């Protein structure tokens, strides 16, 4: 069974290559969707445990916002994201394009990514390694699908995808963010330290992600650049700055936002993306889209 992975240095965890789907170059970012605040409206929480055999999810959610709290017993973790098919697109077509987008051939991956951009709007979600985390996602009525992107390449992928219908209703926000990370074209605007939930907003022209990965003591931005330059060129890095897998927000379409909550151990982390820039074909991280952040208690 195939999983798409980039190996880091022996002895460290594997860092997953995320899908390359993106909005067409030059597309303007839409206003960031936010869940309305309502007094006395109950919050909507969904607990999901991902195992090597997959996961279960509720078939129906109410509009407003929902918090997906995810933990994984799968050693490879989970990258759970919510997508909404565009009119006329079938699930089979999207999954076929997604397989191409996450394949090993760079040219085909870019073409698949462009196809995926036309197939779905990506509402985001949460990636977890060993530590559970949650994502609060604004929702509007319609048919959606919840997918673990780490399952792409498995022969039973379609049976692992969970349909979720969002029905009219109103639910209040689960959490109040204490900080904000903004994804722009080619860089992160992020605080030097995080102490609580963080709002992740995509203000760029294509979809992107925000992943926190623990790093070795003394790791510098130059160390990250050396690592990602090698990976971008298809070479095996001579060393890895990372000591664990990623926790963060899976790809968001332009204009989308998600609030991430994670009880990560205090320490130093790299804020990175594994997505490629469709204008250049290169990884954003190899072009300088990376940062170092301190997670505090």
């Amino acid at each position: 069974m195939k999983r798409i992975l980039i190996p880091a240095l022996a002895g460290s965890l594997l860092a997953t290559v995320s899908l390359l789907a993106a909005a067409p170059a030059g597309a303007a970012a839409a206003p960031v969707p936010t869940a309305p605040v309502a007094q006395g409206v109950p919050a909507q929480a969904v607990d999901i445990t991902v195992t090597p055999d997959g996961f279960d999810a509720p078939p129906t959610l109410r509009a407003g916002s929902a918090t997906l709290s995810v933990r994984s017993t799968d050693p490879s973790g989970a990258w759970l994201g919510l997508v909404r098919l565009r009119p006329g697109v079938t699930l089979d077509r999207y999954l076929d394009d997604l397989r191409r987008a996450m394949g090993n051939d760079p040219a085909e991956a870019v073409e698949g990514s462009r196809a995926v951009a036309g197939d779905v709007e990506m509402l985001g979600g949460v990636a977890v390694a060993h530590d559970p985390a949650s994502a609060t996602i604004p929702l509007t009525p319609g048919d959606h699908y919840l997918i673990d992107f780490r399952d792409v390449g498995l022969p039973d992928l379609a049976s692992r995808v969970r349909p979720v219908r969002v029905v009219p209703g109103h639910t209040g926000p689960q959490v109040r963010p204490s900080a904000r990370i903004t994804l722009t074209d080619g860089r992160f605007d992020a605080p030097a330290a995080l102490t609580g939930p963080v709002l992740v907003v995509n203000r760029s022209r294509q979809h992107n992600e925000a992943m926190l990965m623990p790093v070795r003591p003394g790791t510098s931005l130059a160390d990250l650049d050396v690592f990602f330059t090698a990976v971008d060129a298809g070479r095996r890095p001579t060393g890895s700055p990372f000591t664990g897998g990623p926790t963060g927000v899976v790809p968001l379409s332009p204009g989308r936002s998600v609030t991430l909550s994670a009880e990560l151990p205090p320490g130093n982390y790299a804020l990175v993306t594994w997505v490629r820039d469709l204008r250049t074909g290169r990884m954003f991280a190899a072009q300088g889209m990376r940062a170092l952040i301190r997670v505090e208690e």
Side-chain angles (χ1 to χ4, degrees):
M1 294 190 295
K2 179 181 176 186
R3 289 185 187 269
I4 312 299
L5 298 170
I6 284 181
L9 185 66
S12 65
L13 297 181
L14 295 178
T16 303
V17 179
S18 82
L19 60 161
L20 304 174
V32 176
T34 56
V37 177
Q39 298 297 326
V41 176
Q44 188 170 207
V46 180
D47 293 323
I48 298 175
T49 298
V50 180
T51 74
D53 295 326
F55 64 94
D56 291 321
T60 304
L61 292 173
R62 299 186 308 280
S65 67
T67 294
L68 306 182
S69 297
V70 179
R71 66 178 63 247
S72 178
T73 62
D74 187 334
S76 63
W79 286 47
L80 223 59
L82 191 67
V83 302
R84 182 170 181 169
L85 299 179
R86 301 192 191 277
V89 177
T90 65
L91 179 62
D92 286 343
R93 172 178 146 184
Y94 164 60
L95 295 181
D96 285 343
D97 290 336
L98 189 59
R99 290 185 185 96
R100 293 193 294 127
M102 295 185 69
N104 293 324
D105 181 88
E108 186 177 20
V110 171
E111 290 304 313
S113 299
R114 290 172 178 158
V116 166
D119 291 341
V120 298
E121 181 178 10
M122 305 192 76
L123 281 67
V126 62
V128 300
H130 296 296
D131 300 299
S134 65
T136 299
I137 305 174
L139 299 175
T140 56
D143 292 326
H144 300 71
Y145 291 93
L146 197 57
I147 180 171
D148 185 350
F149 294 117
R150 291 211 183 206
D151 288 340
V152 174
L154 299 181
D156 61 342
L157 173 61
S159 67
R160 289 169 172 258
V161 176
R162 298 289 176 258
V164 178
R165 171 164 290 182
V166 178
V167 299
H170 193 66
T171 53
Q174 285 288 102
V175 294
R176 298 287 186 181
S178 60
R180 175 179 173 131
I181 294 174
T182 302
L183 286 58
T184 63
D185 289 319
R187 65 188 177 93
F188 291 109
D189 288 335
L194 296 176
T195 58
V198 57
L199 177 67
V200 178
V201 180
N202 186 0
R203 287 293 193 188
S204 70
R205 289 182 288 181
Q206 72 167 71
H207 93 268
N208 214 332
E209 66 186 8
M211 297 292 169
L212 289 165
M213 300 182 68
V215 294
R216 302 184 188 282
T219 294
S220 65
L221 291 177
D223 296 326
L224 298 179
D225 293 340
V226 169
F227 175 85
F228 281 109
T229 297
V231 173
D232 186 50
R235 303 193 306 269
R236 184 178 180 85
T238 57
S240 172
F242 306 117
T243 61
T247 300
V249 173
V250 302
L252 289 163
S253 290
R256 300 297 309 188
S257 66
V258 165
T259 300
L260 172 71
S261 300
E263 295 183 5
L264 293 173
N268 295 322
Y269 289 76
L271 175 62
V272 300
T273 169
W274 295 89
V275 173
R276 289 185 180 270
D277 183 341
L278 293 190
R279 294 170 297 173
T280 66
R282 297 189 62 202
M283 296 177 69
F284 277 114
Q287 299 178 129
M289 190 170 183
R290 75 291 182 264
L292 291 170
I293 288 180
R294 177 80 183 172
V295 172
E296 300 178 345
E297 294 184 7

